[in-house]
Amino acid sequence: MKISRQLVGSFIGVSLLTGVVGAVAITQNQRVTEMLALAEAKHVAQLFAININSDEVKYRELTAANPTGELQHYITQLHDLQKRDVEVVNQEKRIIADAFAKNVGKIFAEDQGNEVQKTMQDGITRTFLEKSLDYPHGIKLIVVPLKSSQTKIDGAVILEWSSLYDEAINQARPTLIMIAITSLGCIALAGIIGLRISSNIAKPLQSVTAIAQQVTQTSNFDLQAPVTTRDETGTLAVALNHLIRQVKILLREKEQRSEDLQQALNQLHKTQFQLVQTEKMSSLGQLVAGVAHEINNPVNFIHGNIIHVDQYTQDLLKVIQAYQTHYPQPPQALQSVLHDAELDFIQEDLIKLLQSMKLGTDRIRQIVLSLRNFSRLDEAEFKAVDIHEGIDNTLLILQYRLKAKSDSSGIEVVKDYGQLPVIECYPGQLNQVFMNLLANAIDALQDTASQQSASDRPAQPGKIWISTQPIVDDKVQVIIADNGLGISEAVRSRIFNPFFTTKPVGKGTGLGLSISYQIITEKHNGRMWCDSTPGQGTKFVIEIPIRQTEPPY
């Protein structure tokens, strides 16, 4: 709760307490006035009863069959003197005498609680309120018993004491008015004091609090609390302003340190990625170099000797044909040997066998050449190359994953190459990008085929589209797309983050796309992005300049 409300609430509470005290005093005064009026009425009624008891003539009329009217005359005189209604009733509650003579002889029935009868039974004085046609708003009455000398109760005196009560209230009214005025004055004074204190203390504190809250919520440390007084609230505002300035200085220093730390962390991450990439490329290069070297030597030996084996085979076949021409009828033992060896089949199949071996060694030499071109071990520097050759070499290496198998259909590669000039780039690193993108596309299509098989749906033929074209600003664009399941937006926004992967443990490191993105954007000053629609496929787009304005680091 705000302090202004607390202060005003406290003074309002004090003022209300003062008002309550005044109300209690007024109520108590009214009660005292009523008690005094009632005591006086009781005294007057008892005097009437004593006077009637002392006058035997008047008292006998309570039980007389034919009253003389002496008691009625006495009651009339009392009414004329004191202006009060007085009634005398006997034990049957019949009115013997009344200020209004017309009521004489009637039964008194205006006591709803039968107070008159009870008083005549136990002799206890009672009061009650009479409501009748003559007194629709009610009139206060008091009843006292009429006792004979033998303490026998023969009737009762009923006296109206409303006039006494009204007179007492009229006498006490100035006091009541004074108490009410004093209470209202205390309430007004308490309210004025509360508002004054709220204005002088609460409002400056509220202003300081508002500035503090605004600084906290908006982080705007240029705000300053207004200093309007020289008292404690002004000192508090000055202290708050000094604290805001100090916090601003500390936050500025913290932001500077955070920026320095962030730059150092970014540099550390970049260095780490470069080390991982360098190590990966170095390991890959060494592996490719070793495999190419170990395969190339025996293949070259076999490929070189196949020519001589083919020549020797042709010569031997000519010799055999000459023997068959000049010696058509060999001995029976020789004919059996020639029949068992199937010489005719050997002559026909040996030529095909040598041709197949020559095609096989040519294929192996082509694969070894592709490995060398892919790794670019002899072309690690920045130079101009035909990127179509790098894409084709990558496809040749991945050819075994594209072929159909017993449990999966093959993947069709659709190439749409444009007329591109040679591109200035790092060939080995650019081929690594193609390898990562094509390998990911193959993984996506294989996962799609597995899910379709598990759901008993007809498998959709997997396709990879590779297109290249020159674009404006002397750049080339390479697009690699597939018709797999696609990538959700939540995953697509994170695919270039380091170490992020959706593949199972042991199948991916989460560095392939991150390193590829770094190679394109930092090494080649290009752009790389991904477009994907879940259920329809994924497309990676690469844009790099044909000529680099300055060699990248």
Side-chain angles (χ1 to χ4, degrees):
M1 183 182 291
K2 295 182 179 180
I3 189 172
S4 59
R5 294 180 181 177
Q6 292 179 346
L7 289 173
V8 174
S10 299
F11 280 97
I12 290 176
V14 173
S15 62
L16 291 177
L17 180 60
T18 304
V20 170
V21 171
V24 171
I26 293 173
T27 303
Q28 191 65 24
N29 200 325
Q30 287 180 339
R31 287 182 179 179
V32 171
T33 302
E34 183 177 1
M35 291 175 62
L36 293 176
L38 180 59
E40 184 178 356
K42 184 177 181 181
H43 178 69
V44 172
Q46 289 176 347
L47 288 177
F48 286 171
I50 292 172
N51 192 9
I52 293 173
N53 290 334
S54 62
D55 192 334
E56 293 182 1
V57 176
K58 298 176 182 176
Y59 187 80
R60 281 199 301 268
E61 292 192 6
L62 293 173
T63 57
N66 297 309
T68 60
E70 185 68 23
L71 183 58
Q72 174 65 35
H73 179 69
Y74 175 71
I75 294 301
T76 302
Q77 288 180 343
L78 288 177
H79 177 265
D80 294 338
L81 290 174
Q82 295 193 3
K83 306 300 181 182
R84 292 188 182 91
D85 292 340
V86 183
E87 294 171 325
V88 179
V89 297
N90 59 14
Q91 285 189 342
E92 289 79 18
K93 293 178 62 176
R94 186 177 301 281
I95 300 174
I96 304 301
D98 194 326
F100 298 97
K102 65 179 181 178
N103 294 327
V104 175
K106 296 181 180 179
I107 300 297
F108 186 84
E110 281 74 19
D111 53 340
Q112 302 296 326
N114 202 19
E115 286 84 2
V116 175
Q117 189 66 40
K118 292 177 181 179
T119 297
M120 289 188 295
Q121 289 176 358
D122 55 20
I124 298 174
T125 302
R126 287 179 173 83
T127 60
F128 61 93
L129 185 67
E130 175 191 348
K131 288 188 176 181
S132 60
L133 295 177
D134 296 331
Y135 305 104
H137 298 292
I139 184 173
K140 298 179 184 295
L141 299 176
I142 185 170
V143 55
V144 297
L146 284 174
K147 299 179 181 179
S148 65
S149 59
Q150 291 81 17
T151 67
K152 178 183 177 182
I153 300 176
D154 295 323
V157 176
I158 304 171
L159 175 67
E160 174 266 325
W161 64 284
S162 293
S163 57
L164 290 175
Y165 175 76
D166 293 339
E167 291 176 3
I169 290 297
N170 290 333
Q171 292 177 358
R173 184 170 287 113
T175 303
L176 298 178
I177 293 174
M178 183 60 66
I179 294 174
I181 293 175
T182 303
S183 300
L184 293 176
C186 291
I187 293 174
L189 181 61
I192 293 173
I193 294 175
L195 292 176
R196 186 60 181 267
I197 293 177
S198 173
S199 176
N200 293 336
I201 297 178
K203 287 186 178 179
L205 289 178
Q206 185 177 2
S207 177
V208 172
T209 303
I211 292 296
Q213 291 177 346
Q214 189 174 358
V215 170
T216 304
Q217 294 173 357
T218 63
S219 298
N220 184 4
F221 295 94
D222 293 328
L223 298 175
Q224 293 288 290
V227 182
T228 57
T229 61
R230 295 185 180 181
D231 54 10
E232 287 79 0
T233 56
T235 304
L236 178 61
V238 172
L240 176 63
N241 293 337
H242 179 71
L243 178 61
I244 292 174
R245 288 192 294 268
Q246 292 298 319
V247 172
K248 180 180 180 181
I249 294 173
L250 292 176
L251 287 177
R252 187 176 300 168
E253 294 176 355
K254 180 182 177 182
E255 290 176 357
Q256 183 63 37
R257 292 176 183 175
S258 298
E259 290 178 0
D260 296 340
L261 289 175
Q262 186 63 38
Q263 291 178 359
L265 182 61
N266 293 337
Q267 186 63 34
L268 179 62
H269 285 170
K270 186 179 296 184
T271 304
Q272 180 184 8
F273 297 153
Q274 290 175 353
L275 289 175
V276 172
Q277 178 187 347
T278 303
E279 182 66 23
K280 187 173 182 179
M281 294 300 294
S282 176
S283 300
L284 179 63
Q286 293 176 2
L287 175 64
V288 171
V291 172
H293 178 73
E294 294 298 330
I295 295 176
N296 192 51
N297 288 338
V299 167
N300 284 339
F301 174 79
I302 295 172
H303 184 76
N305 287 330
I306 285 178
I307 298 176
H308 301 292
V309 172
D310 183 54
Q311 184 63 43
Y312 296 158
T313 301
Q314 296 292 339
D315 293 340
L316 288 176
L317 291 176
K318 288 179 182 180
V319 171
I320 292 172
Q321 291 174 358
Y323 268 100
Q324 289 177 340
T325 301
H326 297 287
Y327 196 36
Q329 298 296 329
Q332 184 64 34
L334 183 58
Q335 287 184 1
S336 299
V337 172
L338 293 175
H339 182 269
D340 292 339
E342 297 182 357
L343 182 61
D344 294 337
F345 175 76
I346 291 176
Q347 289 178 357
E348 181 180 356
D349 191 60
L350 185 58
I351 302 300
K352 296 179 180 179
L353 181 62
L354 290 174
Q355 291 177 351
S356 298
M357 293 175 63
K358 186 175 184 301
L359 290 176
T361 56
D362 287 338
R363 175 65 175 169
I364 294 173
R365 294 182 67 193
Q366 184 180 5
I367 291 175
V368 171
L369 180 61
S370 297
L371 289 174
R372 291 184 59 198
N373 291 335
F374 173 76
S375 63
R376 295 288 183 179
L377 296 177
D378 56 345
E379 298 178 0
E381 298 299 328
F382 185 76
K383 60 185 302 182
V385 296
D386 181 6
I387 62 173
H388 292 159
E389 181 182 351
I391 297 174
D392 292 337
N393 291 332
T394 304
L395 289 173
L396 182 61
I397 295 173
L398 296 173
Q399 186 66 35
Y400 76 98
R401 298 190 61 188
L402 299 173
K403 293 181 179 179
K405 299 179 182 178
S406 59
D407 57 345
S408 62
S409 59
I411 297 175
E412 180 184 357
V413 178
V414 180
K415 295 188 290 186
D416 182 16
Y417 291 164
Q419 296 294 327
L420 301 182
V422 291
I423 308 300
E424 291 182 352
C425 62
Y426 288 98
Q429 296 183 12
L430 195 58
N431 289 343
Q432 181 67 25
V433 175
F434 297 147
M435 172 66 77
N436 290 333
L437 296 181
L438 290 171
N440 286 340
I442 293 173
D443 290 339
L445 292 175
Q446 290 177 346
D447 292 341
T448 302
S450 300
Q451 295 187 19
Q452 290 174 345
S453 300
S455 61
D456 297 332
R457 291 183 297 175
Q460 180 183 4
K463 284 188 178 182
I464 296 177
W465 291 270
I466 305 174
S467 64
T468 62
Q469 61 179 348
I471 57 176
V472 295
D473 298 331
D474 294 330
K475 294 181 180 180
V476 295
Q477 185 182 79
V478 180
I479 300 176
I480 299 177
D482 63 71
N483 62 341
L485 293 177
I487 305 174
S488 65
E489 179 61 26
V491 174
R492 190 190 67 81
S493 61
R494 302 175 60 191
I495 57 175
F496 295 126
N497 293 345
F499 305 107
F500 174 77
T501 179
T502 57
K503 297 180 180 179
V505 176
K507 191 174 181 180
T509 63
L511 289 174
L513 290 177
S514 176
I515 293 175
S516 300
Y517 185 81
Q518 185 178 1
I519 290 173
I520 296 299
T521 58
E522 297 184 8
K523 289 287 187 178
H524 294 87
N525 295 325
R527 294 197 306 153
M528 179 178 178
W529 68 91
C530 172
D531 293 329
S532 181
T533 302
Q536 297 184 11
T538 304
K539 177 175 69 175
F540 283 89
V541 183
I542 298 173
E543 290 183 0
I544 57 175
I546 298 175
R547 300 286 182 270
Q548 298 288 342
T549 55
E550 57 181 18
Y553 64 88

